[in-house]
Amino acid sequence: MDELKAAQRLFEEVWRPAEGQPSPMTGELLRALSHAGCYVVGAYAGTRMVGASAGFYTAPPDPALHSHITGVAPQGQGHGIGFALKVHQRAWAMARGVPAIVWTFDPLVARNAWFNLARLGALPTAYLEDFYGPMTDAINAGMASDRLLLAWRLDDPAVAAACAGRPRQPALRPAPPEPALTVGPDLAPVGHDTGAPAVTVAVPPDVAALAPDRRRAWRAAVREALGGRLAAGAAVTGFLRRPDRYLVEHPGAGNAR
């Protein structure tokens, strides 16, 4: 329980719940998940916990591990700890015959989009509007909790390559994608009317640094440009940097490799 309580404190340090609000994950719940054979892991620098992750199994008929929470302590960020946790999670799941890991993340957070889609090779399967409802922690307060649902196919050669240090790259295509959403000079979202089969949907470089009204404007714009296209049958096939943007393709426009 000492280790599980340390994981609880780490999650609280990362998410910073509002005073009087519950922890993102309690030690008692971590105990129950661990006892049930689910994924509960801590990462250490010496004797100090610097990262933690927990997940549980999904229901049939599609076996998978749902990675519910993964966090790295502020002083440990930028040192590859999150990547090491996910590579360990993949090995753990494969050793138990689990073919896929699924999880959600905020599509507005560019660094997480690059990490999840390129460095890990996972691909989105659905856009989930206000998935958790109102949230009060320091990261999510004041904005709808839209999420992208990802699938990490563990035996996919592109995933294996990503875990070996070769990020997933979108496939080459005959014509460049057209912008559906871009970042304006004042960091406001700027929508573009396009019916191209392949488009890019931009996100701000650092959504946390924006004023609340601007963050909400980005939430609405990405929900329409990205969520709307996914609902219509398009697929996110990659994430590009400088500027930060999703690559979205309709069936027949090309595939990622």
Side-chain angles (χ1 to χ4, degrees):
M1 280 305 299
D2 289 343
E3 293 177 306
L4 297 172
K5 285 294 187 181
Q8 174 181 329
R9 291 190 295 271
L10 184 145
F11 291 139
E12 290 170 350
E13 184 180 13
V14 173
W15 274 270
R16 292 168 290 150
E19 185 176 357
Q21 295 299 310
S23 171
M25 181 69 79
T26 66
E28 292 80 5
L29 182 53
L30 290 169
R31 165 66 83 192
L33 291 174
S34 177
H35 186 264
C38 298
Y39 185 79
V40 179
V41 167
Y44 288 82
T47 59
R48 178 169 55 91
M49 184 180 289
V50 292
S53 182
F56 43 83
Y57 294 107
T58 64
D62 298 317
L65 177 73
H66 181 92
S67 181
H68 175 61
I69 188 168
T70 300
V72 175
Q75 65 271 22
Q77 294 177 4
H79 297 284
I81 297 168
F83 185 75
L85 279 167
K86 297 304 289 187
V87 171
H88 177 273
Q89 189 179 74
R90 175 176 179 260
W92 185 95
M94 293 182 76
R96 289 158 178 78
V98 180
I101 298 175
V102 297
W103 68 94
T104 65
F105 80 101
D106 187 339
L108 293 186
V109 182
R111 67 180 185 278
N112 286 353
W114 170 255
F115 179 78
N116 289 326
L117 276 66
R119 290 204 63 205
L120 295 179
L123 290 174
T125 59
Y127 188 99
L128 308 173
E129 294 187 14
D130 204 19
F131 184 60
Y132 293 109
M135 303 179 74
T136 58
D137 61 86
I139 295 176
N140 297 289
M143 192 165 57
S145 57
D146 290 19
R147 295 292 184 265
L148 272 180
L149 178 65
L150 295 168
W152 205 24
R153 305 297 177 188
L154 304 184
D155 61 354
D156 182 346
V159 170
C163 289
R166 300 187 297 276
R168 182 190 288 268
Q169 298 292 330
L172 298 176
R173 52 193 48 79
E178 295 185 8
L181 186 66
T182 57
V183 181
D186 56 353
L187 296 182
V190 178
H192 303 273
D193 187 12
T194 174
V199 302
T200 56
V201 176
V203 292
D206 183 6
V207 67
L210 300 179
D213 286 350
R214 186 57 48 83
R215 291 201 303 269
R216 286 190 286 269
W218 272 105
R219 176 68 82 212
V222 170
R223 179 185 289 184
E224 178 180 356
L226 184 60
R229 283 176 167 82
L230 287 180
V236 176
T237 57
F239 189 81
L240 309 169
R241 305 218 77 178
R242 300 180 183 88
D244 297 312
R245 61 212 188 277
Y246 294 93
L247 176 61
V248 186
E249 302 184 65
H250 287 274
N255 297 306
R257 58 175 172 84

Short mmCIF file of all heavy atoms in Angstrom, two decimals, residues 143-179:
data_model
loop_
_atom_site.label_atom_id
_atom_site.label_comp_id
_atom_site.label_asym_id
_atom_site.label_seq_id
_atom_site.Cartn_x
_atom_site.Cartn_y
_atom_site.Cartn_z
N MET A 143 -13.38 23.58 -19.35
CA MET A 143 -13.51 23.24 -20.76
C MET A 143 -14.12 21.86 -20.91
O MET A 143 -13.88 20.99 -20.06
CB MET A 143 -12.12 23.28 -21.42
CG MET A 143 -12.15 23.22 -22.93
SD MET A 143 -10.55 23.70 -23.68
CE MET A 143 -9.44 22.54 -22.91
N ALA A 144 -14.92 21.65 -21.94
CA ALA A 144 -15.51 20.33 -22.18
C ALA A 144 -14.40 19.30 -22.34
O ALA A 144 -13.36 19.56 -22.94
CB ALA A 144 -16.38 20.37 -23.43
N SER A 145 -14.64 18.09 -21.80
CA SER A 145 -13.61 17.06 -21.77
C SER A 145 -13.67 16.16 -23.01
O SER A 145 -13.78 14.94 -22.90
CB SER A 145 -13.74 16.23 -20.48
OG SER A 145 -15.03 15.65 -20.39
N ASP A 146 -13.57 16.77 -24.21
CA ASP A 146 -13.50 15.99 -25.43
C ASP A 146 -12.23 15.14 -25.44
O ASP A 146 -11.17 15.60 -24.98
CB ASP A 146 -13.51 16.89 -26.66
CG ASP A 146 -14.85 17.57 -26.89
OD1 ASP A 146 -15.64 17.64 -25.93
OD2 ASP A 146 -15.08 18.04 -28.01
N ARG A 147 -12.32 13.94 -26.02
CA ARG A 147 -11.17 13.05 -26.07
C ARG A 147 -11.13 12.33 -27.41
O ARG A 147 -12.16 12.08 -28.04
CB ARG A 147 -11.23 12.00 -24.94
CG ARG A 147 -11.14 12.58 -23.52
CD ARG A 147 -9.77 13.14 -23.26
NE ARG A 147 -9.61 13.62 -21.89
CZ ARG A 147 -9.79 14.88 -21.52
NH1 ARG A 147 -10.16 15.79 -22.42
NH2 ARG A 147 -9.58 15.25 -20.26
N LEU A 148 -9.92 11.98 -27.83
CA LEU A 148 -9.73 11.04 -28.93
C LEU A 148 -9.47 9.66 -28.34
O LEU A 148 -8.66 9.52 -27.41
CB LEU A 148 -8.54 11.44 -29.80
CG LEU A 148 -8.78 12.40 -30.96
CD1 LEU A 148 -7.48 12.66 -31.70
CD2 LEU A 148 -9.84 11.88 -31.92
N LEU A 149 -10.17 8.67 -28.85
CA LEU A 149 -9.94 7.29 -28.45
C LEU A 149 -8.92 6.68 -29.40
O LEU A 149 -9.08 6.75 -30.62
CB LEU A 149 -11.24 6.49 -28.50
CG LEU A 149 -11.15 5.00 -28.16
CD1 LEU A 149 -10.73 4.79 -26.71
CD2 LEU A 149 -12.49 4.31 -28.43
N LEU A 150 -7.87 6.09 -28.83
CA LEU A 150 -6.79 5.51 -29.61
C LEU A 150 -6.81 4.00 -29.53
O LEU A 150 -7.20 3.43 -28.50
CB LEU A 150 -5.43 5.99 -29.08
CG LEU A 150 -5.11 7.47 -29.21
CD1 LEU A 150 -3.89 7.80 -28.39
CD2 LEU A 150 -4.89 7.84 -30.67
N ALA A 151 -6.34 3.35 -30.59
CA ALA A 151 -6.10 1.91 -30.58
C ALA A 151 -4.63 1.69 -30.90
O ALA A 151 -4.12 2.21 -31.91
CB ALA A 151 -6.99 1.19 -31.58
N TRP A 152 -3.96 0.92 -30.05
CA TRP A 152 -2.55 0.58 -30.23
C TRP A 152 -2.48 -0.90 -30.53
O TRP A 152 -2.57 -1.74 -29.63
CB TRP A 152 -1.80 0.91 -28.94
CG TRP A 152 -0.35 1.20 -29.07
CD1 TRP A 152 0.32 1.64 -30.17
CD2 TRP A 152 0.62 1.09 -28.02
NE1 TRP A 152 1.65 1.80 -29.88
CE2 TRP A 152 1.87 1.48 -28.57
CE3 TRP A 152 0.57 0.70 -26.68
CZ2 TRP A 152 3.05 1.49 -27.82
CZ3 TRP A 152 1.73 0.71 -25.94
CH2 TRP A 152 2.95 1.10 -26.50
N ARG A 153 -2.38 -1.24 -31.82
CA ARG A 153 -2.32 -2.64 -32.24
C ARG A 153 -0.90 -3.15 -32.02
O ARG A 153 0.02 -2.79 -32.74
CB ARG A 153 -2.72 -2.77 -33.71
CG ARG A 153 -4.09 -2.17 -34.03
CD ARG A 153 -5.22 -2.87 -33.30
NE ARG A 153 -6.51 -2.25 -33.54
CZ ARG A 153 -7.63 -2.56 -32.92
NH1 ARG A 153 -7.62 -3.53 -32.00
NH2 ARG A 153 -8.76 -1.95 -33.20
N LEU A 154 -0.72 -3.98 -31.01
CA LEU A 154 0.61 -4.26 -30.48
C LEU A 154 1.51 -5.02 -31.42
O LEU A 154 2.73 -4.92 -31.33
CB LEU A 154 0.47 -4.99 -29.13
CG LEU A 154 -0.38 -4.24 -28.09
CD1 LEU A 154 -0.37 -4.99 -26.77
CD2 LEU A 154 0.10 -2.81 -27.90
N ASP A 155 0.92 -5.81 -32.34
CA ASP A 155 1.75 -6.55 -33.29
C ASP A 155 1.88 -5.84 -34.64
O ASP A 155 2.47 -6.38 -35.57
CB ASP A 155 1.21 -7.97 -33.50
CG ASP A 155 -0.21 -7.98 -34.06
OD1 ASP A 155 -0.81 -6.89 -34.19
OD2 ASP A 155 -0.72 -9.08 -34.36
N ASP A 156 1.36 -4.63 -34.75
CA ASP A 156 1.50 -3.84 -35.97
C ASP A 156 2.98 -3.52 -36.17
O ASP A 156 3.64 -3.00 -35.26
CB ASP A 156 0.69 -2.55 -35.82
CG ASP A 156 0.72 -1.65 -37.06
OD1 ASP A 156 1.57 -1.88 -37.94
OD2 ASP A 156 -0.08 -0.71 -37.11
N PRO A 157 3.55 -3.82 -37.36
CA PRO A 157 4.96 -3.50 -37.59
C PRO A 157 5.30 -2.03 -37.35
O PRO A 157 6.41 -1.72 -36.89
CB PRO A 157 5.17 -3.90 -39.05
CG PRO A 157 4.14 -4.95 -39.31
CD PRO A 157 2.95 -4.54 -38.49
N ALA A 158 4.36 -1.14 -37.64
CA ALA A 158 4.62 0.29 -37.41
C ALA A 158 4.72 0.59 -35.92
O ALA A 158 5.49 1.47 -35.51
CB ALA A 158 3.52 1.14 -38.05
N VAL A 159 3.95 -0.12 -35.11
CA VAL A 159 4.03 0.05 -33.65
C VAL A 159 5.35 -0.50 -33.14
O VAL A 159 6.02 0.13 -32.30
CB VAL A 159 2.83 -0.63 -32.96
CG1 VAL A 159 3.02 -0.68 -31.45
CG2 VAL A 159 1.54 0.11 -33.32
N ALA A 160 5.74 -1.67 -33.61
CA ALA A 160 7.03 -2.25 -33.20
C ALA A 160 8.17 -1.31 -33.57
O ALA A 160 9.10 -1.10 -32.79
CB ALA A 160 7.22 -3.62 -33.84
N ALA A 161 8.10 -0.73 -34.77
CA ALA A 161 9.15 0.20 -35.20
C ALA A 161 9.16 1.45 -34.32
O ALA A 161 10.23 1.95 -33.94
CB ALA A 161 8.93 0.59 -36.67
N ALA A 162 7.98 1.96 -33.98
CA ALA A 162 7.91 3.15 -33.12
C ALA A 162 8.52 2.87 -31.75
O ALA A 162 9.25 3.70 -31.21
CB ALA A 162 6.45 3.60 -32.99
N CYS A 163 8.21 1.70 -31.20
CA CYS A 163 8.76 1.35 -29.89
C CYS A 163 10.28 1.15 -29.95
O CYS A 163 10.96 1.22 -28.93
CB CYS A 163 8.08 0.11 -29.35
SG CYS A 163 6.37 0.38 -28.85
N ALA A 164 10.80 0.90 -31.15
CA ALA A 164 12.24 0.76 -31.34
C ALA A 164 12.89 2.10 -31.69
O ALA A 164 14.09 2.14 -31.99
CB ALA A 164 12.53 -0.26 -32.43
N GLY A 165 12.10 3.17 -31.65
CA GLY A 165 12.67 4.49 -31.86
C GLY A 165 12.46 5.08 -33.23
O GLY A 165 13.06 6.12 -33.55
N ARG A 166 11.59 4.47 -34.06
CA ARG A 166 11.32 4.98 -35.39
C ARG A 166 9.85 5.41 -35.48
O ARG A 166 8.98 4.57 -35.73
CB ARG A 166 11.65 3.93 -36.45
CG ARG A 166 13.11 3.49 -36.42
CD ARG A 166 13.46 2.56 -37.59
NE ARG A 166 12.69 1.31 -37.55
CZ ARG A 166 13.04 0.24 -36.83
NH1 ARG A 166 14.10 0.28 -36.04
NH2 ARG A 166 12.31 -0.87 -36.87
N PRO A 167 9.55 6.67 -35.24
CA PRO A 167 8.16 7.13 -35.18
C PRO A 167 7.38 6.83 -36.45
O PRO A 167 7.95 6.74 -37.56
CB PRO A 167 8.29 8.64 -34.97
CG PRO A 167 9.63 8.81 -34.33
CD PRO A 167 10.49 7.75 -34.94
N ARG A 168 6.07 6.64 -36.30
CA ARG A 168 5.18 6.41 -37.45
C ARG A 168 5.13 7.68 -38.30
O ARG A 168 4.90 8.78 -37.78
CB ARG A 168 3.78 6.04 -36.96
CG ARG A 168 2.81 5.75 -38.10
CD ARG A 168 1.37 5.64 -37.62
NE ARG A 168 1.10 4.43 -36.87
CZ ARG A 168 0.64 3.28 -37.38
NH1 ARG A 168 0.44 3.20 -38.68
NH2 ARG A 168 0.40 2.25 -36.61
N GLN A 169 5.32 7.51 -39.59
CA GLN A 169 5.26 8.62 -40.54
C GLN A 169 4.09 8.40 -41.50
O GLN A 169 3.89 7.28 -41.97
CB GLN A 169 6.56 8.71 -41.33
CG GLN A 169 7.79 8.98 -40.49
CD GLN A 169 7.79 10.36 -39.88
OE1 GLN A 169 7.23 11.30 -40.46
NE2 GLN A 169 8.39 10.50 -38.71
N PRO A 170 3.34 9.45 -41.82
CA PRO A 170 2.28 9.29 -42.82
C PRO A 170 2.86 8.90 -44.17
O PRO A 170 3.98 9.30 -44.52
CB PRO A 170 1.63 10.68 -42.88
CG PRO A 170 2.01 11.35 -41.61
CD PRO A 170 3.36 10.80 -41.25
N ALA A 171 2.11 8.14 -44.93
CA ALA A 171 2.55 7.71 -46.26
C ALA A 171 2.56 8.90 -47.22
O ALA A 171 1.81 9.86 -47.07
CB ALA A 171 1.64 6.61 -46.79
N LEU A 172 3.41 8.80 -48.21
CA LEU A 172 3.43 9.82 -49.25
C LEU A 172 2.14 9.74 -50.07
O LEU A 172 1.59 8.66 -50.26
CB LEU A 172 4.65 9.62 -50.15
CG LEU A 172 6.02 9.75 -49.48
CD1 LEU A 172 7.12 9.43 -50.49
CD2 LEU A 172 6.21 11.14 -48.91
N ARG A 173 1.69 10.87 -50.56
CA ARG A 173 0.45 10.90 -51.34
C ARG A 173 0.64 11.79 -52.57
O ARG A 173 1.53 12.66 -52.56
CB ARG A 173 -0.72 11.40 -50.49
CG ARG A 173 -0.44 12.70 -49.78
CD ARG A 173 -1.46 13.01 -48.72
NE ARG A 173 -1.70 11.88 -47.87
CZ ARG A 173 -0.89 11.51 -46.87
NH1 ARG A 173 0.21 12.19 -46.66
NH2 ARG A 173 -1.15 10.47 -46.11
N PRO A 174 -0.14 11.59 -53.63
CA PRO A 174 0.08 12.35 -54.87
C PRO A 174 -0.05 13.85 -54.69
O PRO A 174 0.73 14.61 -55.26
CB PRO A 174 -1.01 11.81 -55.81
CG PRO A 174 -1.40 10.49 -55.23
CD PRO A 174 -1.22 10.60 -53.76
N ALA A 175 -1.04 14.29 -53.93
CA ALA A 175 -1.26 15.73 -53.75
C ALA A 175 -1.21 16.07 -52.26
O ALA A 175 -1.66 15.28 -51.42
CB ALA A 175 -2.62 16.13 -54.32
N PRO A 176 -0.65 17.21 -51.90
CA PRO A 176 -0.58 17.57 -50.48
C PRO A 176 -1.98 17.80 -49.91
O PRO A 176 -2.89 18.22 -50.63
CB PRO A 176 0.24 18.86 -50.49
CG PRO A 176 0.07 19.42 -51.86
CD PRO A 176 -0.06 18.24 -52.77
N PRO A 177 -2.17 17.52 -48.62
CA PRO A 177 -3.48 17.76 -48.01
C PRO A 177 -3.78 19.25 -47.93
O PRO A 177 -2.86 20.08 -47.86
CB PRO A 177 -3.32 17.14 -46.62
CG PRO A 177 -1.85 17.21 -46.34
CD PRO A 177 -1.18 17.00 -47.66
N GLU A 178 -5.06 19.57 -47.95
CA GLU A 178 -5.48 20.96 -47.82
C GLU A 178 -5.79 21.27 -46.36
O GLU A 178 -6.28 20.40 -45.63
CB GLU A 178 -6.72 21.22 -48.68
CG GLU A 178 -6.47 21.08 -50.17
CD GLU A 178 -7.69 21.46 -50.99
OE1 GLU A 178 -8.68 21.97 -50.40
OE2 GLU A 178 -7.68 21.25 -52.22
N PRO A 179 -5.54 22.49 -45.89
CA PRO A 179 -5.83 22.83 -44.50
C PRO A 179 -7.33 23.01 -44.28
O PRO A 179 -8.00 23.73 -45.02
CB PRO A 179 -5.08 24.15 -44.29
CG PRO A 179 -4.97 24.75 -45.66
CD PRO A 179 -4.86 23.59 -46.61
#
